[in-house]
Amino acid sequence: MSYVGKILVAHPKMTYQSPFFQSVVYIGHEDDNGVNGIIVNRPTSYTVSEFMNRRGYDFISTRHKMRFGGPVNTSTVFMLHSDEWTSSSTMKAGPGYSISCDDFMLEKLSMGYLPVYFRMVVGMASWYPGQLDNEISRSDWLIATANDDILFNYDGEKQWNKALELVSREVINSYF
């Protein structure tokens, strides 16, 4: 089973001590080296405007928060976005979504060229081959198909709760 285009929803039994407690992770890449994703529901106290201003770009928006995308590559900024928008490093990341990671994306944002939907994150989540399968078999994660609403319209615990509802609906629909 390919996980690309799916969301992983931390199982309610996951403890507070886990770095993935109440996380919603979008899976955007999978190959022989493993699976990569981005936590989408962990806003930080910093806005995208503050980040971009520190990098020398003008961007005015208090609506867009920077997010913690995961414990791997924490010095790298990624942008999960709708796929009608591209930058020089844009990679397809499942149906309807792409991931970019370059300075040109910042320049485009500062000029007002915005994707319909986006989340800017620092870091990512990564699993070596077989690791995610093992975590799923232990019921650490629940799986659902990603959509714009669940990825971009909520944050924090509310987003996790909405993702749990989505998992429930998909399981029920699979029986009827």
Side-chain angles (χ1 to χ4, degrees), residues 34-96:
V35 177
N36 297 314
I38 293 173
I39 299 172
V40 293
N41 70 321
R42 291 272 169 82
T44 69
S45 60
Y46 295 99
T47 65
V48 172
S49 294
E50 290 170 321
F51 165 74
M52 290 187 57
N53 290 337
R54 287 184 182 178
R55 297 286 305 266
Y57 297 98
D58 289 328
F59 184 76
I60 309 290
S61 172
T62 57
R63 187 185 94 158
H64 299 285
K65 294 280 192 181
M66 292 295 293
R67 289 170 169 72
F68 174 71
V72 178
N73 288 341
T74 56
S75 62
T76 304
V77 173
F78 300 93
M79 185 169 69
L80 171 65
H81 56 86
S82 45
D83 70 355
E84 86 290 342
W85 190 92
T86 61
S87 186
S88 59
S89 70
T90 300
M91 293 179 10
K92 187 79 173 138

